[in-house]
Amino acid sequence: MASGLRWEKKSDGPPPEFLLSGRIDEHADFAGLIAQLTGPTRLDLSGIQRINSTGVREWEFFIRAVENVPLEFALCSSPIVEQLNATTKFLGAGKVVS
């Protein structure tokens, strides 16, 4: 897992839920998380403290890699909401549930 970005499984669901926390930046590595997303999943984004422009690019790679996984986004932090307002298709086909 990347040094600035962390995730942990909060519950097995349904749907399973993961808490993401820390920073999404040039060091963000989503590979381990991608491997765990096999079906509908909820991502709790309340712990994301910062996302920079390189992090936006890494996030978009992540979203494209899981485009066939139905995602729900919960408890979006302020940095995530700012990107939602500034970046087209920031969540891909996912939907905000809170």
Side-chain angles (χ1 to χ4, degrees), residues 1-96:
M1 198 175 328
S3 59
L5 175 65
R6 298 172 305 281
W7 61 85
E8 63 183 83
K9 194 170 200 177
K10 285 178 61 173
S11 74
D12 289 324
E17 183 171 7
F18 290 84
L19 169 65
L20 278 66
S21 60
R23 298 178 314 275
I24 301 175
D25 58 19
E26 60 275 8
H27 304 290
D29 180 2
F30 289 95
L33 179 60
I34 290 168
Q36 296 182 57
L37 304 182
T38 58
T41 303
R42 177 174 289 174
L43 299 178
D44 176 339
L45 301 177
S46 63
I48 298 298
Q49 301 165 339
R50 182 171 180 264
I51 181 167
N52 66 16
S53 58
T54 308
V56 171
R57 183 190 69 204
E58 296 302 318
W59 175 266
E60 289 174 345
F61 290 152
F62 162 67
I63 290 297
R64 281 196 295 271
V66 296
E67 67 185 354
N68 294 320
V69 177
L71 294 177
E72 296 179 349
F73 300 95
L75 304 171
C76 297
S77 67
S78 293
I80 295 294
V81 172
E82 289 172 14
Q83 289 304 318
L84 286 171
N85 291 323
T87 307
T88 306
K89 299 194 179 203
F90 184 73
L91 299 181
K95 66 178 181 175
V96 175

